[in-house]
Amino acid sequence: MKNIKNARLSVWQFLALGYLIVIFAGSLFLTLPVATRGGEQPTSYINALFTSVSATCVTGLITNDTANYW
């Protein structure tokens, strides 16, 4: 237990953890039916995860047309 309290993250580990949190939170939000334009159909998790990673890392790749689907 003492080692856990003394564990410190480096700046790069903290940055990577922040990216992972944003990616997974975004993917969970994108799977909600309210996230789609029609509000009726939920998105598969793999499509939501890909879109979230792409948006976070600014690559611009998408599986669904952003203007019509989201």
Side-chain angles (χ1 to χ4, degrees):
M1 194 66 149
K2 187 176 181 181
N3 290 337
I4 294 174
K5 289 182 181 179
N6 292 334
R8 302 255 183 215
L9 293 176
S10 71
V11 173
W12 301 111
Q13 290 171 330
F14 187 74
L15 184 67
L17 184 62
Y19 268 92
L20 287 175
I21 290 171
V22 168
I23 287 170
F24 286 116
S27 66
L28 289 175
F29 288 137
L30 286 175
T31 58
L32 298 174
V34 73
T36 60
R37 187 175 182 131
E40 299 170 358
Q41 56 186 359
T43 306
S44 69
Y45 185 73
I46 194 70
N47 283 339
L49 181 64
F50 184 84
T51 303
S52 180
V53 169
S54 178
T56 303
C57 298
V58 196
T59 60
L61 302 173
I62 54 172
T63 55
N64 299 315
D65 185 33
T66 303
N68 295 326
Y69 187 79
W70 300 106

